[in-house]
Amino acid sequence: MTPDKRARLAGQASEILRENDRGNYTIPTKGLYPFQWNWDSCLTALGFAAFDEDRAWREMETLFAHQWPDGMVPHIVFHQMDEGYFPGPEVWQTGRPVPTSGITQPPVAGFAARRIYERSRNKAAVADRARALAQKIDRWHAFLYSARDPEGEGLVAITHPWQAGRDISIDWDEPFERVPTEGVTPYQRRDVQHADPAHRPTKAQYDRYLWLVEHFRRHGWDNAKLHDLSPFRVVDPGFNAILIRASADLAELAEELGLPDIARANRERAAKGLKALDRLWSERDRQYLCLDRTTGRLIDSLSVGGLMPVFAAIPAGRARTIRARIKEISGRCRYIVPSHDPADPRFDAKRYWRGPAWLVVNYMIADGLAASGISDVAEAIRASSLSLIETSGFAEYYDPLTGEPCGGGRFTWTAAMVLEFLGGGAELVSA
Ligand code: GLC
């Protein structure tokens, strides 16, 4: 890529970040998502770090200011009311001083914090902030391994599909059959007013999302009980890989910041998690699969969640097999990495997490492959991601067969990932 082109893309990406900046937090996109989302924010902080490090830390500090007393960091913080979004605070009713949702999202914070600190040009000036954040991230990890892994298996479950971040993945179809729809309070969706209904979840899926929310609400959002009370308990390889990587990164960061207890606890979590993760490997499918914790069986669904474990330090042989899988999948679509294998008849090129490609996932997979020394596919993913941006702009996600932009536009974390794919770092964008 020529320096001019690189500068142009970086300029456009930083413009989107500034446009969606609400001062102390960033909205994912106007209209569709008017609040602060958990993993969006942490990945967005990486983008800010390219031109405003203080703003990067503030993004994460704002999120963690709304951490629950039990350690959970909510998936949405409703800073300002907005009629255009459903389900809002009146549905969640979590009783927090600033309203939040009652579930969490993939814990990328430990990874992002370490990366931002590593790149910091004045570590001494930000060490106190990093230390305060590291303590909160540690509490979140402790929460996840206690409340979502009550038997101490080393793998945490999600109790609602939205916790995986991959909201309507095919992975959830089978376990979702156990979630009832009766008795859900009548509602009106808002997402379909901002995006094409053909790209969004169906009504049957939405009823189940809401049934779970109302079920947890009836139980007072008591996280000590919700794991066992949920009819939906799925061990997602993507979520666990992120938690393992974040634990390993937090351990390194804590070591550097003089927090040896946090370093030790997180090193142990990462080691135990990595070992347990192998339970999700399917030799037949040559990738990881979700595990349905209520039945003890692996779920027959070849999603990108099963490729995401390369983000953690999985064994080299497994990483090489994931590389081969991605190469195979590349032969079935024009842009990688689709959120589901196109060879599966359930693949849906435009519907959200049932086929489309997402830059955040691409970024994590490419980062993990590169860390394992697999540079060819890491580079192919990076090139495919940037080519999607050049042809289709900064969309929420893309049809991997045609490159068509889908979902919301001028999307914050997509822009942040572009800055990362261009090399991150302060020289990229002038403040
Ligand atoms: C959608 C995505 C989720 C993301 C949110 C905000 O719900 O599925 O992963 O955090 O949008 O961008």
Side-chain angles (χ1 to χ4, degrees):
M1 182 176 291
T2 62
D4 271 8
K5 208 187 231 180
R6 194 163 169 265
R8 184 170 46 79
L9 280 186
Q12 288 168 349
S14 60
E15 205 178 287
I16 291 175
L17 256 58
R18 289 188 175 110
E19 195 176 292
N20 293 332
D21 183 359
R22 294 293 172 272
N24 294 321
Y25 68 95
T26 316
I27 57 166
T29 186
K30 287 203 194 92
L32 189 59
Y33 302 121
F35 314 107
Q36 182 177 27
W37 263 258
N38 184 324
W39 72 325
D40 293 62
S41 256
C42 298
L43 293 165
T44 296
L46 289 168
F48 275 121
F51 58 95
D52 185 349
E53 191 194 330
D54 169 62
R55 185 62 189 78
W57 290 110
R58 199 152 15 104
E59 183 74 25
M60 294 179 69
E61 285 162 354
T62 306
L63 177 69
F64 278 85
H66 301 279
Q67 184 168 30
W68 284 21
D70 64 11
M72 187 183 80
V73 184
H75 103 291
I76 306 175
V77 184
F78 299 105
H79 291 282
Q80 269 184 351
M81 291 315 101
D82 193 305
E83 295 283 294
Y85 184 81
F86 178 86
E90 67 294 344
V91 177
W92 293 95
Q93 295 176 23
T94 54
R96 303 290 305 142
V98 172
T100 72
S101 72
I103 55 172
T104 191
Q105 256 190 335
V108 283
F111 159 74
R114 179 183 179 204
R115 186 147 285 188
I116 294 167
Y117 186 76
E118 261 177 358
R119 289 186 190 154
S120 174
R121 282 190 291 186
N122 190 352
K123 291 196 169 57
V126 294
D128 282 347
R129 292 175 89 170
R131 218 171 274 126
L133 198 57
Q135 280 157 345
K136 292 180 176 177
I137 299 172
D138 175 58
R139 288 192 50 228
W140 186 19
H141 292 179
F143 160 82
L144 288 168
Y145 281 115
S146 69
R148 301 289 190 255
D149 178 21
E151 306 289 324
E153 295 168 23
L155 295 170
V156 303
I158 53 163
T159 49
H160 191 295
W162 291 345
Q163 281 178 345
R166 299 182 297 111
D167 299 19
I168 61 161
S169 169
I170 292 163
D171 292 347
W172 327 130
D173 289 4
E174 196 187 300
F176 235 20
E177 277 167 26
R178 271 194 307 277
V179 177
T181 53
E182 294 78 37
V184 172
T185 314
Y187 61 93
Q188 200 192 354
R189 282 171 67 172
R190 303 287 175 166
D191 59 321
V192 284
Q193 291 166 358
H194 302 288
D196 186 340
H199 302 175
R200 302 289 306 174
T202 62
K203 167 147 172 40
Q205 284 158 340
Y206 232 85
D207 284 350
R208 291 182 165 89
Y209 298 144
L210 290 172
W211 189 93
L212 285 170
V213 170
E214 293 186 356
H215 179 62
F216 300 150
R217 188 178 78 199
R218 272 193 296 278
H219 291 282
W221 295 109
D222 179 353
N223 274 317
K225 298 192 185 130
L226 296 187
H227 175 276
D228 292 354
L229 284 171
S230 179
F232 181 91
R233 288 199 298 275
V234 176
V235 178
D236 168 25
F239 190 103
N240 279 277
I242 289 173
L243 179 55
I244 293 165
R245 170 70 183 267
S247 299
D249 282 345
L250 183 62
E252 294 298 318
L253 179 66
E255 196 67 62
E256 199 170 330
L257 292 168
L259 300 167
D261 294 348
I262 292 183
R264 194 174 326 109
N266 282 280
R267 213 173 288 122
E268 281 169 19
R269 286 175 189 139
K272 185 171 173 185
L274 262 182
K275 212 160 151 211
L277 194 64
D278 224 48
R279 162 94 217 276
L280 309 183
W281 180 258
S282 163
E283 201 51 50
R284 182 196 72 183
D285 299 304
R286 290 171 301 119
Q287 67 165 77
Y288 297 83
L289 298 177
C290 284
L291 172 81
D292 190 335
R293 191 170 262 171
T294 54
T295 62
R297 284 201 303 269
L298 293 175
I299 299 169
D300 185 14
S301 171
L302 301 179
S303 81
V304 77
L307 308 175
M308 284 170 70
V310 280
F311 190 49
I314 54 170
R318 296 267 186 263
R320 280 196 298 274
T321 309
I322 299 281
R323 168 186 179 268
R325 273 288 289 148
I326 297 176
K327 285 186 79 133
E328 179 181 284
I329 290 170
S330 305
R332 300 182 181 134
C333 51
R334 196 154 143 210
Y335 298 95
I336 48 176
V337 180
S339 46
H340 203 83
D341 189 335
D344 185 331
R346 296 168 294 182
F347 167 85
D348 185 340
K350 294 193 203 314
R351 206 183 284 273
Y352 215 26
W353 290 98
R354 301 174 78 86
W358 294 68
L359 254 65
V360 279
V361 171
N362 280 5
Y363 170 70
M364 288 184 268
I365 293 180
D367 183 274
L369 288 170
S372 305
I374 300 174
S375 51
D376 58 346
V377 173
E379 180 47 35
I381 293 175
R382 177 179 171 275
S384 191
S385 304
L386 291 174
S387 131
L388 276 170
I389 300 294
E390 286 188 83
T391 36
S392 304
F394 295 76
E396 185 177 4
Y397 48 93
Y398 306 85
D399 177 330
L401 305 180
T402 63
E404 185 190 324
C406 301
R410 298 190 69 73
F411 217 86
T412 300
W413 68 2
T414 305
M417 295 302 94
V418 168
L419 291 168
E420 282 293 288
F421 278 129
L422 292 174
E427 73 295 342
L428 207 57
V429 184
S430 44

XYZ file of all heavy atoms in Angstrom, residues 11 59 97 134 231 285 354:
51
model
N -6.635 8.512 8.103
C -7.362 9.766 8.325
C -8.868 9.507 8.412
O -9.553 10.010 9.309
N -11.373 5.784 27.643
C -12.422 4.913 27.099
C -12.625 3.705 28.012
O -13.746 3.349 28.376
C -12.008 4.453 25.688
C -13.040 3.604 24.974
C -14.236 4.395 24.457
O -14.122 5.609 24.208
O -15.315 3.781 24.321
N -26.713 2.495 39.506
C -26.861 3.953 39.557
C -26.929 4.593 38.158
O -27.813 5.386 37.882
C -25.605 4.420 40.299
C -24.928 3.208 40.834
C -25.573 1.993 40.272
N -5.720 -2.452 35.858
C -5.330 -3.871 35.972
C -6.052 -4.527 37.154
O -6.493 -5.676 37.061
C -3.818 -3.977 36.143
N -31.330 -21.882 31.210
C -31.464 -23.044 30.323
C -30.438 -22.994 29.194
O -30.250 -23.968 28.476
C -32.886 -22.912 29.771
C -33.237 -21.473 29.914
C -32.439 -20.931 31.075
N -13.602 -32.185 12.640
C -13.823 -30.893 11.982
C -12.554 -30.058 11.848
O -12.562 -29.019 11.220
C -14.881 -30.105 12.756
C -16.207 -30.837 12.779
O -16.706 -31.153 11.691
O -16.716 -31.127 13.872
N -24.032 -14.997 11.034
C -24.290 -16.312 10.445
C -23.560 -16.468 9.114
O -23.890 -17.324 8.299
C -25.796 -16.544 10.273
C -26.542 -16.448 11.594
C -28.040 -16.525 11.415
N -28.517 -17.877 11.201
C -28.813 -18.737 12.171
N -28.665 -18.389 13.432
N -29.266 -19.930 11.882
